[in-house]
Each structure stands twice: as structure tokens, then as C-alpha cells.
Amino acid sequence: MYSDKVMEHFKNPKNMGEMENPDAVAKVGNPACGDLMRVYIKVGEKDGEKYLEDISFKTFGCAAAIATSSVTTELVKGKTLEEAIKLTRDEVAEELGGLPKVKMHCSNLAASGLHRAIYEYKKQTDMEISPELEKKYKASEAALEKTEEKMDKK
Amino acid sequence: MKMSTKESDIIYVDNNATTPIDPDVYQEMKPYFKERYGNPNSLHAKGRESKQAVKIAREKVASLLNTETDEIVFTSCATESNNHAIKGIINKTKNNGKHIITTKTEHKSILNPLKYLEKHGYEVTYLDVDNKGYVDPEDLKNAIKKDTALVTIHYANNEIGTIQPIEKLAEITPNEIPFHTDAAQIPGKIEIDVKSLEIDLMTINGHKMYGPKGIGALWINKKTKITPLLHGGGQENNKRSGTENVPYIVGFGKAAEKASKTVKKESKKLTDMHTKILEEIPKKIDGAQVNGPIQNRLPGNANISFQGVEGEALVLRLEDKGIMASTGSACASETLDPSHVLIETGVPVELAHSSLRISVGRFNKKQDVDKIIEIVPEEVDRLRTISAV
């Protein structure tokens, strides 16, 4: 079902765990399956540009959700915020050697968590937020609400 | 995914999904692939040899259920038996009855044929279950209508191990309404006597009792009228045409013979094992919840939810340690939805996503249970350290 790379990231996730004194934290959820993820980022500055100095995650989810969280942190660590915002779910899945069709939404969760964390950072530091990022944030907000509503259902 | 462990190191505890084939069953089947290949419907010696083998196997399966040989119809699996029972009965009664009664926690091979029939004008009552998975006999009584054509209620639940009060449910169903039970999980774990149950149809299959996959049976009471699911050469007493799958029927027969002999001893062994798992694991893990009943549970079945841990992730972590378990019904593993059985018993969605099913079987040893009790808490802890819940 899963590629060797997915299993490797699942068994030995990179950048896993809560970060001490992060610059921003974001929580995202997937209403399709109830997965929840928290992304922590620390932002640095190099040549006048903000970049992801450190990133970590915590995920409640299946093997695909954990693997996509792990690989996403690896893909964007050290990149500028603007570069990181451009990361797509297809790139996440591709990096893992593909995902089963039914699990493709997991790659969206990881990318969405990253985008949301960057949004939170930009908002806190009064940086300009592009309409594209604003749109992504609103979509993730609605998805999180639906997920929490679904998971609280008795 | 690569298997990281040798076969001898594997602790297989997914016996409710399928059982490994018993070596005696395998030996019995082997000649029927190569030397004894005759079509049981042929007149010559090769055909007669196969016909005799099918006859003996049918006797063994009939003996397991304490019934007559002409009441056993061989099918390809439990799904076929369940489809045959439902569609075959309603076809016979379609001018009179359009109403069927079942429960909300049946296997998909009951629920999906019923959904199909609903699209074709049938009405289905889905009975609720309580928080342990039991149907209230009063609810069945109240659901019966003048045009009820069939009642189908499973004997034991494959996920949470609830054993329904089938005798009582059948007793309150009027004689003129056929009563079917899906008993796929029962043989070899609980003694079966169809004559004492006041039922009309029962589904069993081979691969849940150490026989091969691809063979099942539908027990049909002589007085019950049913339309064949497959029409053709008239095999299986005109109820299921098609050349008999001789090697698998032979294997099924041997598995049934062994199940008849070992049921009492195995029932106790499996019950002791699942009881220990259900008692010890929650002691070691905070926020662990046992799903299903504690007493009178399907022998060998344990189902526990762990707060903050996703079921699939736990199953794959356990696989890495050589433990092959399940996150619920294997048939539902391609879907994202949590187990409908857990949801119907009132388990919150989050905990339903967090369930682990351990089903021990004939070939498990005491040491396997000890290892499970040691490893599961370790892996739950590990996943909790990365959980966002």
C-alpha cells in the first residue's frame, strides 16, 4: 500500500515534536478522516529575507499523515517563507514516491499546516499577506472547524 | 512494504480477518489439485472419486452444524452466502413481503445487498444496538410487520465480539418469516446446533476456521424456499449451480471436522487469552477503552481504543515489531470512515479512529499474549509523543 519512503518517514519521522519558544504555531485538521496536525516554526533572516530556520510537527493520524508531515518539514527547512508558501500537496506526495489515492488528502494536510504557520507568523509580525495565502488560510480554518466538530461528535 | 520479520517470529493476531490454513487441512486438499482432478459431475472413475470427496466433506460440514447433508449448499465465501440468503429469500416472497429487518452493526456483505434492495423498492429496518453491541429483542418484536419477508441478524460481531441472543431473537420471529444469521465467526469457537435455534438459514465459511479462502456454505433449512443465486447445471441440489470447487470443499470439510473436535478446548483457550489482553492492556495505558462486552464475548476477540493514537499508525508500528493485528474490519480498510460498528455502539469518532482489534487463534501461544501486553503499551506511548491531540 505504501512506498518504502513513506514507511521510512513513518517509522523514523524527522523534525518531530513540540518546539520550545516557536515564532508561530498552527493547527490544521482534515475533516475527511479526522487527522490533526500542529506545525511549529522558528523564523530567521538572511540577506534581508525571512526563512524557516527550524520547523517541527506533531500529528494525530495514519502512517501517510505522519510521513507527509515529516517530509514536508524536510522539504522546506532553510527555505524562504515565500518559497515555502509555494509547496504543493503534489510535491509532497511526489517526494514520498507517491501515495495511495485514498490517502492523497494527507499530503494536503501537511502543506496546509505549513502555509497556516507562515500565515500566523506574518500576521503576528505585520508582514504583508498575499490574497493567495489569505485564501489558503480561510480554507484551512473551515477544514479545522469541520474536523473538530466531527471528532467531538458522540 | 517489506516484511521485517521471519515467519517464525511473527505473532499473527488477525484471525477474525482470516486464519492461517491448518497443516492437516492443507495435506487433505493437496491431492485434489493434481491427482484427483475429476469433475464430480462426470460419470467415470475420476469423477466418482471427486464426487465421493465432496460427499464426505458435506457430511463433515453438516456434522459441525448438527444438520442434514442436503441442507448444506457450498458457496464461494460468506459474502456469497449472505447475498444468496437475502436475495434468494426475497425473490421467493417478493409478491408478499417487501420488508426486511437487520441490525446497524452487520457486516458490509449484509448491509450493502440491503442498500441495493432499498433502491429497488424494499424497506429495511435497521435495529439499534446498545453500547455493548446487543440488539434488544423487544425492538425486533416491535419492528416485525405484516409484510416482513426476512430477518437477518449476525450471530457474533467480527469487530467487537458481541454474541447476539440468536435463540431468543429467532424465537420471537414468527415461524412464517425466515430468519437468517451470518455466523462466519462462530465455527470452532462456539458449538453450533442449528436444530435447536429455530432459524432457517446460516452463513459460514472456510477461512475463518483454518480452512482455505474461497469456500463457504449456506445452511438452508429444508422447509425454506429460496431462489438459486446461480442458475446452470443444477449442482448443489439446484440451489447453486457451477462445477464444485473440489479441493477447497475437501479442505473446508477437514477444517469443519477439526473444528467439531476442538471447539470446547479452543473456546476456553481463546477466551482465556482475550480476557488477559482486555484486563492487562488497559491497566498499563491511560485512556484505553475496551470496546464490546466483557462477558460472553466471541472467543479470541479483543478490541481496544487508545486516546490520541490513530489505529492504522498503531497497526503499522506493531507490524514492525512482528505483531500482525487489525484496526477493525479488514474489509473496510480502504475507506476513511471509522468503524460503523463502533459508531453505532456510541464510541466517539476520535476513539473509533483509534481502535485496535486483536483476534487470537488456534496457533497463538501464551507467550504471544505476553508479548502483546508488553509491546502494545510501548507503541501507544511512542505514537502519543508525536500526537497532536
Side-chain angles (χ1 to χ4, degrees):
Chain A
M1 183 183 179
Y2 290 127
S3 71
D4 288 349
K5 202 161 179 190
V6 169
M7 288 312 296
E8 178 51 34
H9 274 277
F10 165 64
K11 283 189 211 168
N12 301 297
K14 307 289 186 301
N15 305 307
M16 182 265 286
E18 202 170 327
M19 185 186 287
E20 269 186 45
N21 304 316
D23 290 327
V25 185
K27 185 177 171 190
V28 280
N30 195 310
C33 59
D35 289 350
L36 281 168
M37 178 187 183
R38 273 180 215 276
V39 180
Y40 307 82
I41 59 171
K42 201 171 267 297
V43 178
E45 196 165 337
K46 198 164 53 182
D47 303 327
E49 266 205 282
K50 302 272 191 183
Y51 76 103
L52 291 170
E53 191 179 304
D54 199 8
I55 177 165
S56 70
F57 76 94
K58 288 185 92 172
T59 294
F60 166 77
C62 61
I66 292 169
T68 51
S69 304
S70 168
V71 84
T72 295
T73 61
E74 282 208 315
L75 281 170
V76 298
K77 202 169 176 178
K79 288 202 169 168
T80 66
L81 299 190
E82 300 316 311
E83 284 168 339
I85 288 167
K86 286 180 190 147
L87 183 78
T88 67
R89 75 175 207 171
D90 289 341
E91 284 168 335
V92 173
E94 203 177 304
E95 185 65 23
L96 286 167
L99 282 168
K101 208 172 170 186
V102 73
K103 299 283 187 179
M104 271 303 284
H105 66 275
C106 297
S107 55
N108 206 31
L109 181 73
S112 179
L114 168 74
H115 298 151
R116 201 171 158 88
I118 294 172
Y119 176 94
E120 294 290 354
Y121 176 79
K122 285 193 163 191
K123 200 175 161 195
Q124 286 164 30
T125 55
D126 292 327
M127 283 178 76
E128 192 188 333
I129 294 171
S130 67
E132 192 196 348
L133 185 59
E134 186 77 44
K135 200 175 152 190
K136 282 179 179 171
Y137 174 82
K138 280 187 180 153
S140 68
E141 184 74 9
L144 179 62
E145 270 173 32
K146 267 191 197 170
T147 310
E148 290 185 325
E149 198 177 292
K150 191 176 172 179
M151 299 304 273
D152 284 343
K153 212 171 144 189
K154 304 256 173 179
Chain B
M1 183 192 169
K2 283 178 199 160
M3 298 288 274
S4 56
T5 29
K6 284 191 296 179
E7 186 61 34
S8 58
D9 293 335
I10 285 172
I11 296 175
Y12 180 82
V13 282
D14 196 16
N15 289 278
N16 281 16
T18 194
T19 49
I21 201 157
D22 187 283
D24 294 340
V25 170
Y26 182 55
Q27 284 305 321
E28 192 103 341
M29 289 172 71
K30 266 163 60 176
Y32 292 90
F33 286 105
K34 208 171 169 190
E35 298 98 40
R36 300 180 193 170
Y37 47 78
N39 184 326
N41 305 296
S42 297
L43 289 174
H44 50 65
K46 280 285 173 197
R48 292 199 302 275
E49 185 178 56
S50 288
K51 191 169 191 165
Q52 180 64 9
V54 171
K55 181 176 174 277
I56 292 168
R58 198 184 305 277
E59 284 166 0
K60 289 172 178 173
V61 174
S63 172
L64 174 74
L65 305 186
N66 190 28
T67 188
E68 316 300 326
T69 52
D70 58 356
E71 293 185 327
I72 299 293
V73 174
F74 287 123
T75 63
S76 66
C77 57
T79 295
E80 184 187 317
S81 295
N82 285 341
N83 271 260
H84 190 177
I86 293 168
K87 293 170 187 167
I89 291 293
I90 59 99
N91 272 336
K92 273 288 174 196
T93 59
K94 69 180 175 186
N95 295 327
N96 306 315
K98 288 267 180 189
H99 176 238
I100 301 164
I101 301 171
T102 191
T103 77
K104 290 180 176 174
T105 52
E106 297 293 316
H107 190 268
K108 297 285 181 187
S109 59
I110 293 287
L111 295 176
N112 284 338
L114 292 177
K115 270 188 206 163
Y116 166 81
L117 289 176
E118 280 182 296
K119 286 181 191 158
H120 290 83
Y122 288 84
E123 183 199 351
V124 180
T125 298
Y126 298 91
L127 300 174
D128 286 323
V129 294
D130 67 14
N131 65 355
K132 301 292 178 214
Y134 292 109
V135 173
D136 184 342
E138 274 303 300
D139 287 351
L140 171 61
K141 203 174 181 179
N142 295 333
I144 292 167
K145 302 205 289 190
K146 272 187 184 168
D147 68 337
T148 301
L150 174 70
V151 175
T152 174
I153 296 176
H154 59 344
Y155 203 133
N157 188 273
N158 59 317
E159 293 187 47
I160 58 169
T162 311
I163 299 169
Q164 296 296 347
I166 289 297
E167 202 173 343
K168 196 166 185 184
L169 296 169
E171 197 184 305
I172 62 172
T173 302
N175 285 338
E176 62 274 21
I177 301 173
F179 190 103
H180 165 252
T181 187
D182 172 4
Q185 297 289 343
I186 297 295
K189 295 175 196 155
I190 295 171
E191 281 183 279
I192 306 174
D193 178 359
V194 290
K195 284 183 181 162
S196 71
L197 287 174
E198 288 190 42
I199 64 172
D200 304 282
L201 305 114
M202 177 185 274
T203 290
I204 60 169
N205 72 1
H207 76 103
K208 304 287 166 87
M209 56 168 168
Y210 313 96
K213 296 169 190 64
I215 186 73
L218 181 62
W219 169 76
I220 308 171
N221 191 325
K222 271 193 200 90
K223 68 178 173 59
T224 305
K225 288 180 181 158
I226 189 164
T227 304
L229 189 66
L230 302 176
H231 294 86
Q235 289 92 341
E236 294 300 299
N237 206 12
N238 270 321
K239 293 192 172 75
R240 202 271 190 188
S241 289
T243 302
E244 294 87 344
N245 186 350
V246 181
Y248 285 62
I249 289 173
V250 167
F252 190 20
K254 185 67 183 175
E257 183 185 44
K258 280 201 95 165
S260 302
K261 285 180 186 163
T262 59
V263 61
K264 277 187 185 161
K265 202 175 161 193
E266 283 197 7
S267 179
K268 184 179 180 323
K269 174 189 152 180
L270 299 182
T271 301
D272 288 349
M273 284 181 166
H274 83 230
T275 303
K276 192 169 179 189
I277 291 167
L278 292 177
E279 280 175 1
E280 295 301 319
I281 289 184
K283 275 187 207 165
K284 292 184 160 196
I285 309 174
D286 289 338
Q289 176 186 301
V290 173
N291 301 312
I294 298 295
Q295 302 297 327
N296 192 31
R297 193 180 179 107
L298 178 68
N301 173 280
N303 191 312
I304 314 176
S305 289
F306 303 101
Q307 219 163 39
V309 170
E310 204 272 343
E312 186 206 89
L314 180 58
V315 165
L316 291 175
R317 290 280 342 163
L318 293 175
E319 179 196 305
D320 205 39
K321 301 284 177 182
I323 297 170
M324 309 292 154
S326 160
T327 179
S329 167
C331 303
S333 59
E334 292 298 310
T335 70
L336 299 172
D337 296 329
S339 150
H340 70 287
V341 174
L342 294 178
I343 296 298
E344 292 302 336
T345 55
V347 175
V349 178
E350 187 201 318
L351 279 178
H353 273 294
S354 305
S355 68
L356 174 72
R357 182 182 73 177
I358 297 167
S359 44
V360 291
R362 178 178 292 170
F363 300 110
N364 287 116
K365 302 179 184 84
K366 277 184 176 178
Q367 303 91 284
D368 295 345
V369 171
D370 293 339
K371 192 151 186 203
I372 287 164
I373 290 167
E374 178 196 332
I375 301 286
V376 170
E378 285 174 12
E379 294 307 320
V380 168
D381 273 351
R382 195 187 300 269
L383 284 169
R384 278 182 176 169
T385 62
I386 66 167
S387 176
V389 175

Short mmCIF file of all heavy atoms in Angstrom, two decimals, chain B residues 2 7 23 34 43 47 73 83-84 145 203 207 237 247 250 261 291 303 311 318 341 343 347-348 366 380 383-384 386:
data_model
loop_
_atom_site.label_atom_id
_atom_site.label_comp_id
_atom_site.label_asym_id
_atom_site.label_seq_id
_atom_site.Cartn_x
_atom_site.Cartn_y
_atom_site.Cartn_z
N LYS B 2 8.16 -3.96 2.95
CA LYS B 2 8.95 -5.18 3.19
C LYS B 2 8.58 -5.77 4.55
O LYS B 2 8.39 -5.05 5.52
CB LYS B 2 10.43 -4.83 3.18
CG LYS B 2 10.97 -4.63 1.79
CD LYS B 2 12.43 -4.23 1.87
CE LYS B 2 12.85 -3.59 0.58
NZ LYS B 2 14.04 -2.79 0.73
N GLU B 7 8.98 -15.51 9.27
CA GLU B 7 7.65 -16.05 9.51
C GLU B 7 7.52 -16.62 10.93
O GLU B 7 6.51 -16.43 11.60
CB GLU B 7 7.34 -17.12 8.46
CG GLU B 7 5.94 -17.69 8.48
CD GLU B 7 4.83 -16.67 8.22
OE1 GLU B 7 5.05 -15.73 7.45
OE2 GLU B 7 3.76 -16.82 8.83
N PRO B 23 -2.28 -27.23 8.92
CA PRO B 23 -1.48 -28.17 8.11
C PRO B 23 -2.24 -29.43 7.71
O PRO B 23 -2.06 -29.94 6.60
CB PRO B 23 -0.31 -28.52 9.04
CG PRO B 23 -0.23 -27.40 10.02
CD PRO B 23 -1.61 -26.87 10.18
N LYS B 34 -3.95 -32.10 -8.11
CA LYS B 34 -3.18 -32.74 -9.18
C LYS B 34 -3.67 -34.13 -9.55
O LYS B 34 -4.11 -34.37 -10.66
CB LYS B 34 -1.70 -32.79 -8.76
CG LYS B 34 -0.77 -32.79 -9.93
CD LYS B 34 0.67 -32.62 -9.49
CE LYS B 34 1.60 -32.91 -10.65
NZ LYS B 34 2.98 -32.99 -10.20
N LEU B 43 -19.18 -39.11 -15.07
CA LEU B 43 -19.60 -40.46 -14.70
C LEU B 43 -18.44 -41.41 -14.43
O LEU B 43 -18.60 -42.41 -13.73
CB LEU B 43 -20.48 -41.06 -15.82
CG LEU B 43 -21.88 -40.46 -15.95
CD1 LEU B 43 -22.58 -41.03 -17.16
CD2 LEU B 43 -22.69 -40.73 -14.69
N GLY B 47 -14.32 -38.84 -11.91
CA GLY B 47 -15.45 -38.02 -11.47
C GLY B 47 -16.04 -38.56 -10.18
O GLY B 47 -16.32 -37.80 -9.24
N VAL B 73 -25.36 -25.97 1.33
CA VAL B 73 -25.07 -25.51 -0.04
C VAL B 73 -23.69 -24.86 -0.02
O VAL B 73 -23.48 -23.87 0.69
CB VAL B 73 -26.13 -24.49 -0.51
CG1 VAL B 73 -25.76 -23.91 -1.87
CG2 VAL B 73 -27.51 -25.13 -0.56
N ASN B 83 -25.38 -12.88 0.48
CA ASN B 83 -26.14 -12.37 -0.68
C ASN B 83 -27.21 -13.37 -1.11
O ASN B 83 -28.33 -13.00 -1.43
CB ASN B 83 -25.20 -12.09 -1.84
CG ASN B 83 -24.65 -10.67 -1.80
OD1 ASN B 83 -25.14 -9.79 -2.50
ND2 ASN B 83 -23.66 -10.43 -0.96
N HIS B 84 -26.81 -14.65 -1.13
CA HIS B 84 -27.75 -15.71 -1.54
C HIS B 84 -28.93 -15.75 -0.59
O HIS B 84 -30.10 -15.82 -1.01
CB HIS B 84 -27.02 -17.05 -1.57
CG HIS B 84 -27.82 -18.15 -2.19
ND1 HIS B 84 -27.33 -19.41 -2.36
CD2 HIS B 84 -29.08 -18.20 -2.67
CE1 HIS B 84 -28.24 -20.18 -2.92
NE2 HIS B 84 -29.32 -19.46 -3.13
N LYS B 145 -43.48 -6.63 10.82
CA LYS B 145 -44.71 -6.13 10.21
C LYS B 145 -45.38 -7.25 9.42
O LYS B 145 -44.80 -8.32 9.25
CB LYS B 145 -44.36 -4.98 9.25
CG LYS B 145 -43.64 -3.83 9.95
CD LYS B 145 -43.80 -2.52 9.24
CE LYS B 145 -43.05 -2.41 7.94
NZ LYS B 145 -43.04 -1.02 7.41
N THR B 203 -25.01 -18.61 7.56
CA THR B 203 -23.80 -18.44 6.75
C THR B 203 -22.58 -18.87 7.54
O THR B 203 -22.41 -18.46 8.68
CB THR B 203 -23.66 -16.95 6.36
OG1 THR B 203 -24.67 -16.61 5.43
CG2 THR B 203 -22.28 -16.64 5.77
N HIS B 207 -12.40 -19.91 5.64
CA HIS B 207 -11.13 -19.29 6.04
C HIS B 207 -11.15 -18.62 7.41
O HIS B 207 -10.16 -18.05 7.84
CB HIS B 207 -10.63 -18.33 4.95
CG HIS B 207 -11.34 -17.02 4.89
ND1 HIS B 207 -10.81 -15.87 5.39
CD2 HIS B 207 -12.53 -16.69 4.37
CE1 HIS B 207 -11.65 -14.86 5.17
NE2 HIS B 207 -12.70 -15.35 4.54
N ASN B 237 -27.92 -29.35 -5.23
CA ASN B 237 -29.36 -29.54 -5.02
C ASN B 237 -30.19 -28.44 -5.69
O ASN B 237 -31.19 -27.97 -5.15
CB ASN B 237 -29.64 -29.58 -3.51
CG ASN B 237 -30.87 -30.36 -3.17
OD1 ASN B 237 -31.42 -31.06 -4.02
ND2 ASN B 237 -31.33 -30.22 -1.94
N PRO B 247 -11.09 -29.21 -4.39
CA PRO B 247 -10.03 -29.13 -3.37
C PRO B 247 -10.42 -28.26 -2.17
O PRO B 247 -10.12 -28.59 -1.03
CB PRO B 247 -8.84 -28.49 -4.10
CG PRO B 247 -9.17 -28.50 -5.53
CD PRO B 247 -10.64 -28.70 -5.69
N VAL B 250 -13.02 -30.00 -0.03
CA VAL B 250 -12.34 -31.03 0.77
C VAL B 250 -11.65 -30.36 1.98
O VAL B 250 -11.76 -30.84 3.12
CB VAL B 250 -11.31 -31.81 -0.09
CG1 VAL B 250 -10.37 -32.64 0.78
CG2 VAL B 250 -12.04 -32.70 -1.10
N LYS B 261 -14.17 -31.19 16.60
CA LYS B 261 -13.44 -31.91 17.65
C LYS B 261 -12.81 -30.99 18.68
O LYS B 261 -12.67 -31.35 19.83
CB LYS B 261 -12.32 -32.76 17.01
CG LYS B 261 -12.85 -34.01 16.32
CD LYS B 261 -11.69 -34.78 15.71
CE LYS B 261 -12.20 -35.95 14.89
NZ LYS B 261 -11.19 -36.47 13.98
N ASN B 291 -13.77 -1.94 23.82
CA ASN B 291 -15.00 -1.87 23.04
C ASN B 291 -15.67 -3.24 23.01
O ASN B 291 -15.01 -4.26 22.84
CB ASN B 291 -14.69 -1.42 21.61
CG ASN B 291 -14.03 -0.07 21.56
OD1 ASN B 291 -14.48 0.88 22.21
ND2 ASN B 291 -12.92 0.05 20.84
N ASN B 303 -10.91 -5.78 21.45
CA ASN B 303 -10.97 -4.52 20.70
C ASN B 303 -10.83 -3.37 21.69
O ASN B 303 -11.63 -3.25 22.61
CB ASN B 303 -12.30 -4.44 19.93
CG ASN B 303 -12.31 -3.30 18.94
OD1 ASN B 303 -11.94 -2.17 19.26
ND2 ASN B 303 -12.74 -3.57 17.72
N GLY B 311 -5.53 4.36 14.67
CA GLY B 311 -5.48 2.91 14.57
C GLY B 311 -4.51 2.37 13.53
O GLY B 311 -3.72 1.46 13.82
N LEU B 318 3.05 -1.86 15.18
CA LEU B 318 3.06 -3.23 15.72
C LEU B 318 3.63 -4.21 14.69
O LEU B 318 4.36 -5.14 15.04
CB LEU B 318 1.65 -3.66 16.15
CG LEU B 318 1.06 -2.92 17.35
CD1 LEU B 318 -0.38 -3.35 17.60
CD2 LEU B 318 1.90 -3.16 18.61
N VAL B 341 -19.49 -0.09 13.27
CA VAL B 341 -19.87 -0.86 14.46
C VAL B 341 -19.58 -0.04 15.72
O VAL B 341 -20.43 0.09 16.60
CB VAL B 341 -19.12 -2.21 14.50
CG1 VAL B 341 -19.40 -2.95 15.80
CG2 VAL B 341 -19.49 -3.07 13.30
N ILE B 343 -19.16 3.20 15.95
CA ILE B 343 -20.02 4.40 15.98
C ILE B 343 -21.42 4.05 16.47
O ILE B 343 -22.00 4.75 17.30
CB ILE B 343 -20.07 5.06 14.57
CG1 ILE B 343 -18.68 5.57 14.15
CG2 ILE B 343 -21.10 6.19 14.51
CD1 ILE B 343 -18.08 6.64 15.03
N VAL B 347 -19.39 4.84 20.47
CA VAL B 347 -17.99 5.25 20.67
C VAL B 347 -17.77 6.56 19.93
O VAL B 347 -18.14 6.68 18.75
CB VAL B 347 -17.03 4.15 20.12
CG1 VAL B 347 -15.58 4.59 20.20
CG2 VAL B 347 -17.23 2.84 20.87
N PRO B 348 -17.20 7.60 20.59
CA PRO B 348 -16.96 8.87 19.89
C PRO B 348 -16.07 8.67 18.67
O PRO B 348 -15.24 7.74 18.65
CB PRO B 348 -16.25 9.73 20.94
CG PRO B 348 -16.53 9.08 22.25
CD PRO B 348 -16.73 7.63 21.97
N LYS B 366 0.71 -18.75 24.70
CA LYS B 366 0.64 -17.84 25.85
C LYS B 366 1.69 -16.73 25.74
O LYS B 366 1.44 -15.59 26.10
CB LYS B 366 0.86 -18.62 27.15
CG LYS B 366 -0.39 -19.30 27.66
CD LYS B 366 -0.11 -19.97 28.99
CE LYS B 366 -1.39 -20.57 29.54
NZ LYS B 366 -1.17 -21.28 30.79
N VAL B 380 1.95 2.48 21.81
CA VAL B 380 0.94 3.52 22.06
C VAL B 380 1.64 4.76 22.62
O VAL B 380 1.41 5.88 22.16
CB VAL B 380 -0.16 3.02 23.02
CG1 VAL B 380 -1.04 4.18 23.51
CG2 VAL B 380 -1.04 1.98 22.32
N LEU B 383 3.58 6.61 19.87
CA LEU B 383 2.72 7.42 18.98
C LEU B 383 2.13 8.62 19.70
O LEU B 383 1.91 9.67 19.09
CB LEU B 383 1.62 6.54 18.37
CG LEU B 383 2.11 5.61 17.26
CD1 LEU B 383 1.05 4.58 16.90
CD2 LEU B 383 2.50 6.39 16.00
N ARG B 384 1.89 8.46 20.98
CA ARG B 384 1.34 9.61 21.74
C ARG B 384 2.33 10.76 21.82
O ARG B 384 1.93 11.91 21.90
CB ARG B 384 0.92 9.15 23.14
CG ARG B 384 -0.45 8.51 23.13
CD ARG B 384 -0.87 8.12 24.52
NE ARG B 384 -2.22 7.60 24.52
CZ ARG B 384 -2.77 6.99 25.56
NH1 ARG B 384 -2.10 6.86 26.68
NH2 ARG B 384 -4.02 6.54 25.48
N ILE B 386 4.08 11.87 19.51
CA ILE B 386 4.02 12.72 18.31
C ILE B 386 2.58 13.13 17.96
O ILE B 386 2.35 13.75 16.94
CB ILE B 386 4.67 12.05 17.08
CG1 ILE B 386 3.91 10.81 16.62
CG2 ILE B 386 6.13 11.74 17.32
CD1 ILE B 386 4.36 10.35 15.23
#
